[in-house]
Amino acid sequence: MEYTSSEFALANGKVCVIRRAEAEDAEALLHYQKQTSGETPYLVTGPEDIDWTVEQQVRRIEMWNAGSGRLRLVAEMDGTLAGAAIVYGVGGQSRLRHRCSVDITLYQEFWGMGIGTLLLGELLASAKAAGYEQAELDVVSTNAPAIALYRKLGFEAVGIIHRAMKYRDGSCADFHLMVKPLF
């Protein structure tokens, strides 16, 4: 999927750069994934799940960049990684090719600045340009800020998966399934 880097002025006067993730980002992305997965209980991946090497991360980034139906974007503030988002096809079967799944995370220190709105907006625009007609995501039902963001961008809750995620302490979280038409 194609994407051209863009700069955006935030309400706080800072500039956010959104661009495609590159192999040179592997180490920073690996650190980011480990830290963000420990900052919030809302992500499927926990810090204990991230055991890739930098070399494996480079290969993952290269794989993402080689695929025509997927895209990984990063957001930077003052040259520092602030967040990342991905989009990929739900399935390769002809009856599923119109659907894509999206995912976004930010370092907690960058929450509430408008970066998530920009990052997800750019990702959805790229997905639409690539021919996807419907974007989908799962969100933990108690993650009110994320649900508000998704609703603001046109996602609608269409169902619930009960006990979708189980934590180490044995408690569980439900997922809201959310969908947004892109046509």
Side-chain angles (χ1 to χ4, degrees):
M1 203 177 292
E2 295 298 317
Y3 186 79
T4 303
S5 295
S6 301
E7 292 187 2
F8 300 90
L10 300 177
N12 64 6
K14 298 221 177 220
V15 173
C16 177
V17 175
I18 297 178
R19 62 175 178 78
R20 175 189 293 278
E22 298 295 343
E24 297 79 33
D25 299 313
E27 190 170 353
L29 275 169
L30 196 54
H31 179 267
Y32 160 83
Q33 289 169 316
K34 287 179 182 178
Q35 185 169 333
T36 57
S37 65
E39 287 181 338
T40 174
Y42 300 130
L43 302 179
V44 173
T45 304
E48 67 278 2
D49 298 318
I50 300 172
D51 58 1
W52 313 300
T53 65
V54 172
E55 293 77 23
Q56 289 170 319
Q57 184 76 321
V58 166
R59 286 194 295 278
R60 292 180 69 196
I61 293 168
E62 290 171 344
M63 179 197 73
W64 273 89
N65 287 346
S68 61
R70 56 185 168 226
L71 177 65
R72 175 179 278 166
L73 295 178
V74 295
E76 292 180 328
M77 295 270 298
D78 299 323
T80 300
L81 182 66
I86 58 173
V87 60
Y88 55 92
V90 169
Q93 301 88 343
S94 61
R95 295 178 180 181
L96 299 179
R97 286 190 199 128
H98 67 291
R99 297 169 52 206
C100 65
S101 184
V102 297
D103 187 12
I104 181 173
T105 54
L106 297 174
Y107 276 122
Q108 198 169 45
E109 68 184 279
F110 294 104
W111 291 1
M113 295 182 184
I115 297 169
T117 301
L118 290 170
L119 188 55
L120 191 53
E122 290 295 290
L123 195 73
L124 292 170
S126 295
K128 181 177 180 177
Y132 288 116
E133 298 174 15
Q134 179 170 295
E136 304 171 7
L137 57 83
D138 300 332
V139 58
V140 173
S141 61
T142 55
N143 189 350
I147 292 169
L149 168 63
Y150 303 143
R151 285 193 173 130
K152 178 170 81 171
L153 291 173
F155 281 87
E156 178 183 334
V158 296
I160 296 175
I161 301 175
H162 296 286
R163 298 178 45 85
M165 191 162 57
K166 188 171 186 176
Y167 298 107
R168 286 182 159 194
D169 68 0
S171 64
C172 293
D174 296 342
F175 281 166
H176 282 302
L177 303 174
M178 299 188 81
V179 175
K180 174 186 173 57
L182 297 176
F183 48 87

